[in-house]
Amino acid sequence: MKSPPIAPGLASVTFRGLSPRAVVEVALEAGLVGIEWGGDVHVPVGGLAKAQEVGQMTRDAGLAVVSYGSYYRCDGVEFEKVLETAQALGAPEIRVWAGTSESDFGAVVEDLQRIGQFAAINLEYHAGTFTSSGESALRLMRAVGLPSVRLYWQPDVHLSAEERLRDLRAVLPYVTHVHVFQWQLVDGAVVRLALADEWRSYLDLLKGSAQPRYALLEFVAGDAPEQFLADAATLQGML
């Protein structure tokens, strides 16, 4: 049986300084097919009219609304507003963060079990949360135990390419979409680079499973639209 395709998309936080319409235009120019809309600038939580406008604009352009990229921290605070905003946007999924390094693990599990009753939830894969590594993410996913609660994945800048691949393989059954970027530590500082061939191994692993996914470009070198277009072409070549 042929594996479902991985679709190329954009995380709108890549261009926080652009209007939603300009983000749509960049996505179209790059030949992408979907956008994850961020809840910090482009589609603020509670701004239902704005969410409806951006969702309709996206669909009118022939693009999919992949998800609503919220900054909800599984703390029980105002998830209802997040859900209402995602529904107004027409987003089929909501991205949330698995607490903070100071959060109570049990409380985060309970909140994910609660909100997972109302929406498809994807967890940001990020340091300082309970999804900071493959090991920690697996612990959380097994504790939550809901098919509606799953993971994003993104490469950990502190790991080698081989370690990142092992990390992805460990969490693969729980992964929905991936955030695509090329970062490197240089003298302790994070440097953004052009998308590299390293991503081919991650995408090949993702292609081998039965889950349809988006590969969402995020945070390009210099925040430059020109670099974004080049990275988009590289990504589509790999796909």
Side-chain angles (χ1 to χ4, degrees):
M1 181 180 296
K2 186 178 180 181
S3 297
I6 302 173
L10 160 67
S12 77
V13 294
T14 304
F15 296 115
R16 287 187 171 106
L18 297 183
S19 69
R21 184 165 297 282
V23 171
V24 167
E25 290 171 354
V26 169
L28 289 174
E29 184 178 358
L32 306 180
V33 298
I35 299 176
E36 175 192 69
W37 286 106
D40 55 346
V41 174
H42 294 120
V43 184
V45 175
L48 303 188
K50 183 67 172 180
Q52 290 174 342
E53 175 191 344
V54 172
Q56 193 60 54
M57 178 195 309
T58 307
R59 290 182 287 273
D60 287 347
L63 300 171
V65 175
V66 177
S67 65
Y68 181 47
S70 82
Y71 290 83
Y72 179 73
R73 291 278 182 169
C74 296
D75 53 8
V77 179
E78 294 192 334
F79 177 75
E80 290 70 20
K81 286 188 177 180
V82 172
L83 180 60
E84 289 173 355
T85 310
Q87 291 171 337
L89 178 64
E93 304 171 16
I94 301 174
R95 176 172 56 84
V96 305
W97 293 55
T100 69
S101 54
E102 292 80 30
S103 297
D104 177 78
F105 181 81
V108 170
V109 169
E110 288 182 7
D111 196 59
L112 283 168
Q113 291 172 333
R114 178 182 71 89
I115 67 176
Q117 305 293 325
F118 302 104
I121 302 296
N122 293 322
L123 290 162
E124 175 78 3
Y125 203 83
H126 206 279
T129 74
F130 290 115
T131 53
S132 60
S133 67
E135 182 180 359
S136 65
L138 284 174
R139 177 187 177 221
L140 180 63
M141 298 307 296
R142 288 165 178 165
V144 173
L146 285 181
S148 58
V149 179
R150 305 189 70 187
L151 293 171
Y152 271 32
W153 182 83
Q154 62 189 37
D156 185 341
V157 71
H158 298 92
L159 301 179
S160 67
E162 293 77 13
E163 290 170 326
R164 293 170 187 158
L165 189 60
R166 287 198 297 270
D167 190 66
L168 174 58
R169 186 176 287 111
V171 298
L172 187 61
Y174 298 102
V175 172
T176 52
H177 314 305
V178 291
H179 279 156
V180 179
F181 54 80
Q182 192 75 47
W183 293 359
Q184 181 175 320
L185 276 182
V186 178
D187 297 327
V190 175
V191 177
R192 298 182 187 182
L193 304 171
L195 197 64
D197 198 59
E198 169 189 329
W199 263 95
R200 193 178 301 276
S201 60
Y202 309 146
L203 294 169
D204 285 346
L205 182 58
L206 290 162
K207 289 174 188 176
S209 66
Q211 168 72 35
R213 296 182 172 90
Y214 279 88
L216 300 167
L217 284 162
E218 184 180 49
F219 298 133
V220 300
D223 294 325
E226 297 80 9
Q227 184 60 56
F228 177 80
L229 294 174
D231 285 355
T234 300
L235 173 63
Q236 290 176 85
M238 292 178 185
L239 294 175

